[in-house]
Amino acid sequence: MQRLSNTFRGFGASFTLVLSSGFCDIKYLSLAILVVQNSALILSVRYSRTLPGDLYISTTAVVVAEVLKVIACIMILLYQRGSLMRFMHLVHEQVIVNYADTLKLGIPSLLYTLQNNLQYIAISNLDAATFQMTYQLKILTTAIVSVIMLNRSLSKLQWFSLAVLFSGVVLVQLEVNNPSAKSQNVASEAATNAPTGSAVHEQSAIKGLIAVIISSFCSACAGVYFEKILKGSQQVSLWMRNIQLGIFGTVIGLVGMQVKDGIKVAEKGFFFGYTHFVWGVVIQQAFGGLLVAVVVKYADNILKGFATSLAIVVSTIASVFLFPDFHFSLTFILGGSMVIAAVFFYSKPPAAQTILPSVQSSGTQKPT
């Protein structure tokens, strides 16, 4: 344990030295990390869901990601507290003694787990660029829920941005559900490179769209409810909150896995279809959100909005090269441009008293 603690201290000192030495601008480093995480996670998950052959069970991936996240947060808190006894005292005080505060996290954890499972369904049925653009509907749903539950107000620019965002998503979906486009994308991208006899996984753009819409509402409700919890409860560290959410998420994820894929897991095994690449995706999903949580405090709203917009561009360009069956038309470009512009302008902070939730990174992460 002491060796592990020394390793963490050495890493932390090195990271602090890099930032304080002026070797890199922390703002641009934050931008790069946000763009890479936002785009790479979506692209890698999409790629893992279109590979020929045995397809891993997505509900198990959600559970594994939660477990890894809890382990990572425990290790970070162990490092911060300096000893196992201090860590156990902290857990006893903040989780067990204040059990009422802990139980409140069951609701957002349920919503987050549902959101993560729905995102796998959506990415399995929509190409990376379309998913990235459509999932920005979470900005619209979060704004609406915030106005209703938190009595927040929107600036005129933000209302206009939300209208442009919705219109852009509609144009993108019109292109995706165009009969002529469907004929090119009925089968997955895997069909192009799949060997003879390999399994080809069918896709449904409508199913993907419905999953994105429900996931967006889950994200909005969970985020706003979680914010209310934070305002009305004692000060608890980010890492402890993630442990609490992760424990609930693991249990809820296991129940969901049993309900949806229990028979399949029993027949084929929990880690059926897991390859080195799939493990990389799960690890990225688990740790990527924690990395962004550390970096995001250095980024203002404009930077985060720009990062999201740039990630959409990166995902679209990368999709052209990674997925041979990915095609886009003028309608898709117009709709995508509207989404990118809307995300950027929505993130411009209005008057101090009307600042709304900032744009969070996409994919399968909890707000911080």
Side-chain angles (χ1 to χ4, degrees), residues 28-278:
Y28 291 112
L29 178 62
S30 302
L31 174 63
I33 292 175
L34 289 172
V35 171
V36 170
Q37 171 62 18
N38 287 355
S39 55
L41 179 60
I42 302 303
L43 289 167
S44 58
V45 172
R46 173 60 180 173
Y47 188 74
S48 72
R49 303 300 288 174
T50 59
L51 289 173
D54 297 330
L55 187 64
Y56 64 97
I57 304 171
S58 62
T59 50
T60 66
V62 172
V63 173
V64 173
E66 291 296 329
V67 172
L68 292 177
K69 193 179 299 182
V70 170
I71 293 174
C73 291
I74 289 175
M75 294 175 68
I76 292 172
L77 280 179
L78 277 171
Y79 157 68
Q80 291 180 342
R81 305 305 289 185
S83 71
L84 180 60
M85 290 302 297
R86 291 177 182 175
F87 169 74
M88 294 303 296
H89 176 74
L90 179 69
V91 172
H92 178 267
E93 180 183 343
Q94 296 187 346
V95 177
I96 300 176
V97 175
N98 296 301
Y99 66 91
D101 185 62
T102 301
L103 291 175
K104 291 178 183 178
L105 294 176
I107 294 177
S109 184
L110 171 63
L111 292 170
Y112 286 137
T113 305
L114 177 59
Q115 170 194 343
N116 290 337
N117 281 283
L118 287 170
Q119 285 180 348
Y120 270 102
I121 295 175
I123 299 176
S124 299
N125 290 277
L126 297 172
D127 60 76
T130 301
F131 171 82
Q132 189 87 301
M133 293 179 192
T134 307
Y135 191 56
Q136 300 313 311
L137 283 174
K138 68 180 180 179
I139 300 174
L140 174 62
T141 55
T142 300
I144 294 174
V145 175
S146 296
V147 169
I148 296 173
M149 293 183 62
L150 300 179
N151 295 318
R152 282 181 168 159
S153 58
L154 290 165
S155 67
K156 292 181 179 179
L157 176 61
Q158 288 175 318
W159 277 117
F160 177 74
S161 298
L162 292 176
V164 173
L165 172 68
F166 182 78
S167 301
V169 170
V170 169
L171 285 177
V172 169
Q173 286 299 321
L174 284 176
E175 170 64 20
V176 173
N177 290 284
N178 188 333
S180 61
K182 277 186 178 181
S183 62
Q184 296 178 347
N185 296 286
V186 171
S188 70
E189 286 91 340
T192 303
N193 299 318
T196 304
S198 294
V200 175
H201 313 296
E202 295 184 357
Q203 300 175 42
S204 168
I206 296 298
K207 184 178 179 181
L209 174 60
I210 293 174
V212 169
I213 293 174
I214 300 176
S215 178
S216 298
F217 274 102
C218 288
S219 174
C221 294
V224 173
Y225 184 81
F226 188 65
E227 183 178 343
K228 292 192 71 172
I229 291 176
L230 294 180
K231 288 182 176 179
S233 61
Q234 63 172 342
Q235 291 295 322
V236 179
S237 71
L238 164 70
W239 313 117
M240 181 59 72
R241 285 301 187 195
N242 272 282
I243 290 174
Q244 293 170 320
L245 287 168
I247 292 173
F248 278 114
T250 301
V251 175
I252 296 171
L254 285 170
V255 173
M257 179 198 73
Q258 186 62 34
V259 172
K260 183 178 181 293
D261 299 310
I263 297 177
K264 187 185 298 184
V265 172
E267 291 178 350
K268 299 182 177 181
F270 189 91
F271 295 107
F272 173 78
Y274 276 61
T275 62
H276 290 95
F277 185 82
V278 173

